[in-house]
Amino acid sequence: MPDNFVQTIDLRKTYNMGETEVHALDGLDLSIPSGSFTVIMGPSGSGKSTLLYLVGGLDWPTSGEIHVDGLEIGRMDENALADYRRNKVGFIFQSFNLIANMSAEANVAFPLRFAGIKKKDRVVRSEELMEKVGLRDRIGHRPTELSGGQQQRVAVARALVNDPPLILADEPTGNLDTASGVAIMSMLDELRKMGKTVLVASHDLRMLNYATHRIYLMDGRMVDEQQYLESISIS
Amino acid sequence: MRIVDLLSLIADNLKRRKGRVALTAIGVIIGTAAVVTLISLGAGLQESATSQLWGINDLSNVEVYPGYPDMMGMGMQTFTEDDIKKITPDVVAQFESMPGVQRVIIKQRVNTGIEIRLDKLMAWGSIMGVNLDDLADMGVQANQGITDVSGKNTVVVGSWIKNNFYDPNQRPGDEPLELPELMGQTLKVDFVKWNSDGTETRKSMRLEVVGVLAETRGEADYNIYMDWDEVLKLNDWVAGRRVDYNKQGYDNVTVKATSPEVVIDLAQQITDMGFQAYTPQSQVQSINSFFTIMQVVFGGVGAIALLVAAIGIANTMAMAILERTREIGIMKAIGATNNNILSIFLGEAAGIGFLGGVGGFLLGWAICGLINLLAGSYLASQSGGGTTLATSIPVWLPLFSIVFATIVGLISGLYPALSAATMVPVDALKYE
């Protein structure tokens, strides 16, 4: 594994909002080491989520480069990106993004369908992960029958089902109560200890307790901790 | 993605929106049922029309008559005896040597009027000779007696001959006479010829009826068949000399083909030789092409109903994709390719078409059954039985209707599925 698992070079993402251009990312150069727990802090609109989506291959940059595990994903076509998302990345969202009509276990196993895994093996794998996130007894429940914390644990299990090296989490504790939030954070910490590279966008300051690396973003640019703290104290 | 997983996912997705899928499928059901019913109705009409055609069992026959010159554009000119293309023994031999010909049956009438008497009854008729000992060889069957006409002073009569008898002394108001049973009767037949001086000469014969033919719905119903040599002798008597058929030609021949497939071609060859050739098959063919057009038109009317159903599917799928935009985003985020998404949504649209196709065929089948039942009882009440089938479902129609409805679904789903497949993942995920 290369030392810098994720690297961006002069990364830009510009949205056209009618007449005006919004620079969500404005020339970002960053390196994220392999096996790190990196927290991206920043206020709303700072470009945290945009960065995460670009690294996750869910969107294309306007310009610049994104290298993940030696792959330049900014220029990949949709098929190659789908392959990348399936094998290299596990996503965890603020709003869980589970499919409402599927059982918890089916949600966890869902990515394996697109990977062409047989049903028998899917069941074994998803049960194992449901066990791991402590929801063995909730296998047949629908997402609506689970608490927010439980839903997010299902989402974590789903993110791990293809055993990807990179875990991306976008405000994973944003919709959770304090205790559930802590549980998710320590779960992410566990993943780092297993050797995965964890990249979390958050403005939950508790997340910093688990961080091995921190990135502060403001208006699509990296700033140092001092500048960031000043900006939030003013607001 | 494995095909079995794709299919189970499609089935699950359809199941979770049962109500809407059912409503959309109803449109397809109605459309397919209309197509099935109308095509079956067309096919049924075609069957009953062709089965009523004359001599449907004579599809391998070509009836050949002498050829007359084309009178069109000839002005006031008349044609002479020499212009007529006659069926001479040489021509018969020529026909016999043509490939695809099984045999040639010569038909020759006695060329004069006859009077038939049976007790007090009289009848008219026409004596026909064929160069066969047994009429069964030309495809007719006996209703009573035998079909062998080679016996001395015997005849075999067509099924309608008895209807020709009348009572010359009947007065108005008398009970209509009962038609005679001809089998086994001896007919007194007078052949009448008119001489050039205006006098008539008669020749009487007593002929025993040894067979009555089964109805053919053809000319055989109206003929009295007699031994071939006897007919030729009578014609010599009528002409007052030996008739030279090399000069005069025969009335008509039936060219029997080895199989119905070659008949049209054979008739064309004979026509090209200058003779008049008729085959029931050309009639069947033109009727068939008429009914094929009718079925296409009927099917087209049904297809309009299917078109409306197709718009329904497209609408349902477009709505589904709007509602499931986030789900599409999730699927992409966890590794679904554009092709996966396309297959899922196309599969759902085709699935609705398939369900509608199966349901529509069953409904159409039921409607056809109902039509047959109602038409059957109506016709029975009108004519006292002997009804023909009103609809007939062609064997290819079940598969065709289901496949067609599925394809309609697939095509309707194409645009919505494409727009789902090409969504940018992040936009789909952010969709509220």
Side-chain angles (χ1 to χ4, degrees), chain A residues 15 53 58-59 78-79 82 85-86 93 95 97 99 101-102 110-111 113-114 116-118 122 158, chain B residues 1-2 5 8-9 12 16 326-327 330-338 340 344 424-426 429-430:
Chain A
Y15 294 106
Y53 288 135
L58 290 171
D59 204 356
E78 177 54 34
N79 277 336
R85 293 192 293 259
R86 188 162 61 237
F93 302 91
S95 54
N97 276 344
I99 292 174
N101 325 70
M102 289 185 180
F110 201 27
R113 288 206 195 202
F114 298 112
I117 309 291
K118 285 185 183 166
R122 293 202 299 260
R158 182 180 64 187
Chain B
M1 197 173 188
R2 285 144 42 90
D5 285 333
S8 76
L9 184 61
D12 288 346
R16 74 188 213 211
R326 223 180 150 84
E327 187 181 318
I330 296 169
M331 288 194 282
K332 289 198 160 192
I334 62 176
T337 60
N338 285 4
N340 290 151
I344 290 166
V424 176
V426 70
L429 276 169
K430 285 180 183 168

Side-chain angles (χ1 to χ4, degrees), chain B residues 53-195:
Chain B
L53 262 191
W54 168 78
I56 195 75
N57 50 355
D58 289 345
L59 281 183
S60 53
N61 285 2
V62 185
E63 291 296 323
V64 183
Y65 296 89
Y68 290 89
D70 187 3
M71 298 297 288
M72 295 292 284
M74 284 183 67
M76 295 299 289
Q77 272 179 284
T78 52
F79 61 89
T80 64
E81 183 82 7
D82 293 340
D83 294 327
I84 303 169
K85 192 87 177 159
K86 291 176 187 134
I87 308 174
T88 60
D90 285 347
V91 170
V92 171
Q94 213 179 327
F95 288 162
E96 278 168 341
S97 66
M98 283 164 74
V101 172
Q102 191 192 55
R103 72 190 306 169
V104 179
I105 299 164
I106 306 169
K107 297 174 175 175
Q108 179 63 47
R109 287 176 196 286
V110 175
N111 291 321
T112 191
I114 58 170
E115 284 176 15
I116 306 169
R117 284 171 205 278
L118 177 62
D119 301 330
K120 291 176 185 167
L121 301 175
M122 285 186 73
W124 37 272
S126 171
I127 302 273
M128 167 76 92
V130 290
N131 63 334
L132 298 169
D133 284 345
D134 193 342
L135 296 179
D137 289 346
M138 63 177 205
V140 296
Q141 288 170 339
N143 195 22
Q144 293 168 294
I146 56 172
T147 51
D148 191 309
V149 286
S150 61
K152 186 91 179 149
N153 293 332
T154 62
V155 288
V156 173
V157 299
S159 62
W160 269 79
I161 293 297
K162 68 176 177 185
N163 298 307
N164 291 352
F165 281 88
Y166 63 97
D167 181 359
N169 300 317
Q170 188 180 9
R171 290 159 204 248
D174 284 1
E175 280 288 300
L177 80 151
E178 212 162 289
L179 295 174
E181 189 59 60
L182 295 179
M183 182 62 204
Q185 300 275 11
T186 299
L187 307 175
K188 182 172 175 290
V189 180
D190 275 7
F191 296 85
V192 185
K193 75 168 175 179
W194 297 90
N195 302 312

Side-chain angles (χ1 to χ4, degrees), chain B residues 42 67 71 104 118 137 142 169 238 248 278 296 306 317 336 385:
Chain B
M71 298 297 288
V104 179
L118 177 62
D137 289 346
N169 300 317
V238 172
Q248 191 187 313
Y278 301 97
V296 169
L306 259 183
M317 292 312 295

Side-chain angles (χ1 to χ4, degrees), chain B residues 212-242:
Chain B
V212 178
L213 297 179
E215 191 174 2
T216 63
R217 296 195 188 182
E219 60 151 12
D221 291 344
Y222 309 97
N223 282 334
I224 300 169
Y225 289 96
M226 202 172 157
D227 177 56
W228 174 247
D229 293 327
E230 209 58 45
V231 169
L232 296 185
K233 266 189 230 163
L234 283 165
N235 272 339
D236 290 346
W237 171 78
V238 172
R241 60 184 161 82
R242 200 172 169 77

Side-chain angles (χ1 to χ4, degrees), chain B residues 35 38-39 42 289-303:
Chain B
V35 171
L38 290 171
I39 288 182
S289 63
F290 169 76
F291 278 102
T292 303
I293 291 168
M294 195 167 98
Q295 280 187 53
V296 169
V297 171
F298 273 16
V301 171

Side-chain angles (χ1 to χ4, degrees), chain B residues 351-412:
Chain B
I352 295 174
F354 174 79
L355 292 174
V358 172
F361 173 73
L362 292 177
L363 180 64
W365 181 62
I367 292 173
C368 285
L370 199 66
I371 290 175
N372 290 351
L373 199 70
L374 294 178
S377 63
Y378 174 74
L379 287 175
S381 71
Q382 291 294 299
S383 63
T387 165
T388 54
L389 201 66
T391 64
S392 163
I393 298 175
V395 284
W396 50 267
L397 196 55
L399 187 68
F400 171 82
S401 56
I402 292 168
V403 169
F404 188 67
T406 307
I407 291 173
V408 165
L410 202 68
I411 293 171
S412 317

